[in-house]
């Protein structure tokens, strides 16, 4: 049993070795050292579910999203006067449209 409340843990994902591990959330800390390979692991949104390690297509899509400022944070679109949660794209083709459409909601992971 851990003393850390689970709600404070967020996934950090390393794209070098495709490992994801949970660490306490720290505001403004986007990168941590990957315990597996020593590379940089990026803080992902709590909703992120990593693809299977050998699923190259899905990893490519996730990396593309991250490179454009999306770590599975909530993204919204407007229908008439109402804002709706946008679903994350299923594949790389959809991801390319997604990052253009929602670029004003992207994060800049390099600014801390
Ligand atoms: Zn790693």
């Amino acid at each position: 049993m851990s003393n850390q409340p689970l709600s404070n843990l967020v996934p950090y994902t390393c794209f070098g070795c495709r490992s994801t591990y949970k660490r306490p959330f720290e505001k403004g800390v986007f990168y941590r050292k990957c315990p597996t390979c020593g590379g940089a692991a990026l803080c992902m949104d709590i909703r992120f579910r990593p693809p299977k390690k050998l699923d190259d297509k899905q990893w490519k899509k996730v990396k593309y999203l991250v490179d454009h400022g999306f770590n599975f944070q909530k993204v919204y679109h407007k229908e008439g006067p109402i804002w709706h949660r946008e679903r994350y794209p299923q594949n790389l083709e959809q991801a390319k449209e997604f990052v253009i459409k929602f670029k004003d909601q992207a994060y800049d992971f390099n600014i801390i």
Side-chain angles (χ1 to χ4, degrees), residues 10-102:
V10 294
Y12 282 79
T13 292
C14 171
F15 289 90
C17 68
R18 297 180 177 174
S19 298
T20 295
Y21 55 99
K22 296 207 170 173
R23 288 289 182 276
F25 176 75
E26 245 179 88
K27 198 170 163 33
V29 179
F30 284 121
Y31 293 97
R32 287 177 183 271
K33 197 174 167 185
C34 171
T36 306
C37 75
L42 178 68
C43 178
M44 302 297 282
D45 191 272
I46 197 89
R47 283 168 287 269
F48 174 63
R49 296 288 174 268
K52 294 205 170 74
K53 279 213 179 188
L54 296 175
D55 193 342
D56 290 336
K57 275 191 178 166
Q58 286 301 311
W59 278 105
K60 244 187 175 167
K61 179 198 77 182
V62 175
K63 181 73 168 68
Y64 186 85
L65 288 166
V66 160
D67 284 346
H68 289 82
F70 295 93
N71 68 349
F72 289 74
Q73 74 269 36
K74 286 179 188 161
V75 169
Y76 297 95
H77 69 272
K78 208 173 184 181
E79 271 173 37
I82 299 163
W83 289 93
H84 295 273
R85 272 278 295 284
E86 180 72 17
R87 290 176 72 100
Y88 265 74
Q90 301 291 311
N91 56 48
L92 187 58
E93 287 311 304
Q94 290 175 9
K96 285 177 181 171
E97 293 169 20
F98 182 93
V99 300
I100 294 167
K101 199 169 166 191
F102 299 105

